[in-house]
Amino acid sequence: MRTARRIDKLPPYLFAEIDRKVAEARARGADIISFGVGDPDLPTPGHIIDALTEAARDPGTHRYPSYTGMPSFREAITGWYADRFGVTLDADAEVQPLVGSKEGIFHLPVAFVDPGQVALIPDPGYPVYETGTLLAGGDVHLMPLVADRGFTPDFEAIPSEVLERSTVMWLNYPSNPTSATVDKEFFERAVQFCRAHDLLLAHDAAYTEITFDGYVAPSVLEVEGAMDCAVEFHSLSKTYNMTGWRVGWVCGATQAIEAIKRLKTNIDSGIFDALQRAGIAALQGPQEVLAETVARYQHRRDLLCDGLKSMGIVVEPPRGSIYLWVPVPEGHTSESFTTFLLDEVDIVVAPGTGYGPTGEGFVRFSLTLADERLEEGVERLRGVVT
Ligand SMILES: *Cc1c(COP(=O)(O)O)cnc(C)c1O
């Protein structure tokens, strides 16, 4: 059997080696505390589960769903967008439901990056921007995100010969893994730049609803001119603790949505209607659970920031996301510190370099574990970090 060359181009899976070590440690009875994966530990709110079970009993949901999603789900999305961002979207032409936003993020380059063309990708960033581009046969240009610039890319640093071949720019705020946030003014500059260089601006908005200290994350589509050049990816996963359900959407520029629709009719057959009805319940139902979720993350953020600070590791409390982006102690690299924590105190973190070369010198702590475990983790760290 021969595998295709494109599979060889895929970088090794970020968590593969860690997973192996964790399995080994667990097999010898270790009590692992994982700050590794960003998968919400809190359950999906009950009213959303009720909506699913009720809809699942309705035979009207049992046949192939529509490729373009239920009109009522798309309208729930446009209603939510209008309330949340003050952005008016056309539910037919400017919204496409996705089988989880990762699905759409992965597929976007198939529609927008030809071989020889380039996608501009944040480094560090969510690995799917790169793998999707590579599998589509496109080239990747990494935009380094450094603390000095608030983890935003320097558009002027992109070489002009790269820009000429570029068709897509990815952004993600609040950011995974850096937890950086931006204000609308940054999106204005990004939209201006993408319009000037004829780029599709693809904004991954997975964490816009997980924000702290009164900060409200903007949508890129709030910016004038964005509807001509930008799309935004959203997901129910982090907002409503629904990672297992696989429901997301992309919305924005008509031409881009049209291309994505065309592509997707050839790939999948839509989202189970019962899940879409649950999605409507999520977007239109009571939002108190979201406020509670956010309050919990904020509390965990503070526990971890305070704990690290008491060990001399200073992390400015982020305004959003479910992560802390933590500099490693002197003498360590991202990988050596990750291995050190696992070997010495049975703690799992994600090495910054797993998200791109500029992630060197950092590890990512996820806040998706109970307070007691988090506190136990801090105590273990205190024992080995000085
Ligand atoms: C979790 C995450 C997603 C994926 O969300 P799904 O809708 O569950 O596929 C997308 N982008 C970023 C940056 C994420 O962290």
Side-chain angles (χ1 to χ4, degrees), residues 173 182-191 203 218-220 223:
Y173 295 101
V182 293
D183 296 318
K184 196 172 151 188
E185 183 275 329
F186 169 77
F187 281 147
E188 284 166 357
R189 283 196 290 123
V191 165
H203 180 235
S219 158
V220 75
V223 172

Side-chain angles (χ1 to χ4, degrees), residues 160-183:
S160 55
E161 71 272 16
V162 170
L163 259 182
E164 279 163 24
R165 292 195 293 129
S166 301
T167 55
V168 173
M169 175 188 284
W170 285 100
L171 293 174
N172 166 223
Y173 295 101
S175 149
N176 175 8
T178 70
S179 76
T181 51
V182 293
D183 296 318

